[in-house]
Structure formats: structure tokens, C-alpha cells
Amino acid sequence: MHPAGEPQLIITDDDEDDYYLAKSAFEKAGLRQAPLWVKDGQELLDLLKRDPGTRLVILDLNMPGMDGREALESIKAEPALKHIPIIVMTTSDSQEDVCRSYRQGVCSYIRKPIGFEEFVKAALVIKKYWLELVELPRPGNA
């Protein structure tokens, strides 16, 4: 859990530069704890199965190995995990990806911002809504 009682943010992205851009943007947006980083869908699934406490996941769709589409399908098929809010943040503007993601249970679909300032704007909105406004289930209650 986040030190202030907020859920831990997990960023799933195979691109290290994208992770550090997101991490820096969330820090600038006031996130107190650095987001966890996992590099593919399998690593995300393994982490969530080991510790299914309430989290917020930002998921890229396009990764080698188990991609975000497969990870999303696996997470939403697991009763102990399907409550976890997932935001897809990807470069894909494919309507097929958008529709499929929502059918599979994502909470939001966001095109990856271009440039640091745009990423900070997105991070501020995500932080405000998902980590301050929304009531998420407490671990053990989901």
C-alpha cells in the first residue's frame, strides 16, 4: 500500500525510457511513492498473483512476450484479481484495441502522451481521480 493509504501504482511497459518518463511525470504530479515497474504481462500477472492487494495498473498493450492484451484477459479471468483497476496507456489508436480493451474490462484507455509536459498533465488527472477521488476496495475485501 501507498504510505498515505493509496494503492500502489504499477506501470507495465517494456520500454525503460517510457517507464522513467512516466515515473518522473507522476513524481512531478505529487505521487509520494515511485511506481513499481514490470516489463511485460507475465511479470505483471506473477506480481499480482503473489500479492493481489488493491493496486492501480497502467498497462501498455504492445510488449514482447505476454503483451498487454493477453495480460488483461488473464487478470480479468482471475476472481482474486479482476477488481484491480487497469488503465491502458499505449501508442495504439486502433479502434479494435480500444473496443477490445473496454470489452475486457479496462477502466480507461489513454493514448500515450507525447512529451513530458503532456505526460505530467495525464499523470495529474490519473492521480487526482484514481488515487484521491475513487474509493477502491481494501486488500482482503475484494
Side-chain angles (χ1 to χ4, degrees):
M1 288 297 285
H2 190 284
E6 297 169 348
Q8 173 67 54
L9 177 63
I10 301 171
I11 296 175
T12 309
D13 197 313
D14 64 309
D15 187 307
E16 187 173 9
D17 291 337
D18 283 354
Y19 166 72
Y20 283 108
L21 177 67
K23 177 181 178 281
S24 297
F26 277 102
E27 286 171 355
K28 186 161 184 167
L31 192 67
R32 294 185 193 128
Q33 182 179 5
L36 295 176
W37 178 35
V38 294
K39 298 173 186 159
D40 64 33
Q42 187 62 57
E43 195 175 333
L44 173 64
L45 193 58
D46 292 345
L47 172 66
L48 295 176
K49 284 182 176 181
R50 279 193 316 272
D51 180 11
T54 304
R55 301 166 189 273
L56 176 62
V57 174
I58 295 181
L59 180 66
D60 187 15
L61 294 181
N62 301 313
M63 298 177 289
M66 180 187 279
D67 70 10
R69 295 165 193 86
E70 296 166 309
L72 179 58
E73 186 175 344
S74 295
I75 291 165
K76 294 304 181 180
E78 289 278 337
L81 304 177
K82 67 181 181 180
H83 71 281
I84 296 171
I86 297 176
I87 298 169
V88 167
M89 186 177 285
T90 188
T91 57
S92 173
D93 62 356
S94 158
Q95 277 300 296
E96 181 180 336
D97 281 339
V98 173
C99 292
R100 179 180 179 185
S101 295
Y102 280 112
R103 279 194 306 271
Q104 290 180 311
V106 299
C107 298
S108 300
Y109 190 103
I110 301 171
R111 291 273 319 274
K112 266 188 192 172
I114 309 259
F116 184 67
E117 290 308 315
E118 291 302 310
F119 219 122
V120 171
K121 289 177 188 175
L124 282 164
V125 171
I126 291 168
K127 179 184 172 284
K128 183 75 171 168
Y129 183 77
W130 284 105
L131 301 178
E132 295 174 13
L133 182 63
V134 170
E135 183 75 27
L136 296 171
R138 292 185 184 106
N141 293 331

